[in-house]
């Protein structure tokens, strides 16, 4: 329909990315925890690769993209500001928690040498 204003989707995408990244992280942790100790080395390598891909690449990228989508939702007049704000909060908390864990891990590097 010409002249129709479509509803923006950035707020919805922001929340979706936050939930998808959280779900992928929970799945990666569950796989690592549930893997039996006598699992073959190739299966352990695949599981570790998946874990690292989620936590070092896909998760942070999804959260940063979701954070940007949330900001875009706040700036656009035809988008859901409440979903944009929720996306900013969820993605921001996840990134902050990841940075806090990274800082805690980095502070213990000297303890093992």
């Amino acid at each position: 329909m010409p002249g129709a204003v479509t509803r923006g989707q950035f707020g919805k995408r922001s929340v979706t990315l936050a939930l998808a990244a959280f779900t992928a992280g929970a799945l990666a942790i569950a796989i690592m925890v549930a893997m039996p100790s006598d699992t073959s080395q190739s299966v352990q390598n695949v599981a570790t690769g998946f874990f690292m891909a989620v936590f070092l690449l896909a998760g942070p990228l999804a959260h940063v993209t979701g954070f940007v989508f949330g900001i875009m939702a706040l700036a656009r007049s035809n988008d859901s500001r409440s979903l944009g704000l929720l996306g900013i909060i969820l993605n921001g908390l996840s990134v902050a928690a990841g940075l806090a864990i990274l800082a805690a891990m980095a502070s213990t590097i000297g303890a093992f040498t």
Side-chain angles (χ1 to χ4, degrees), residues 9-18 62 65-66 69-70 83 91:
Q9 296 291 317
F10 289 121
K12 184 178 178 182
R13 289 177 186 165
S14 177
V15 173
T16 302
L17 281 171
T65 305
F69 280 164
L83 284 178
N91 287 300

Side-chain angles (χ1 to χ4, degrees), residues 15 30-33 37 40 42 47 54 60 66 69-70 77-79 81 87 100 104:
V15 173
I31 289 171
M32 292 297 287
V33 170
S37 60
S40 71
S42 61
V54 167
F69 280 164
S77 62
N78 65 337
D79 213 323
R81 287 187 170 79

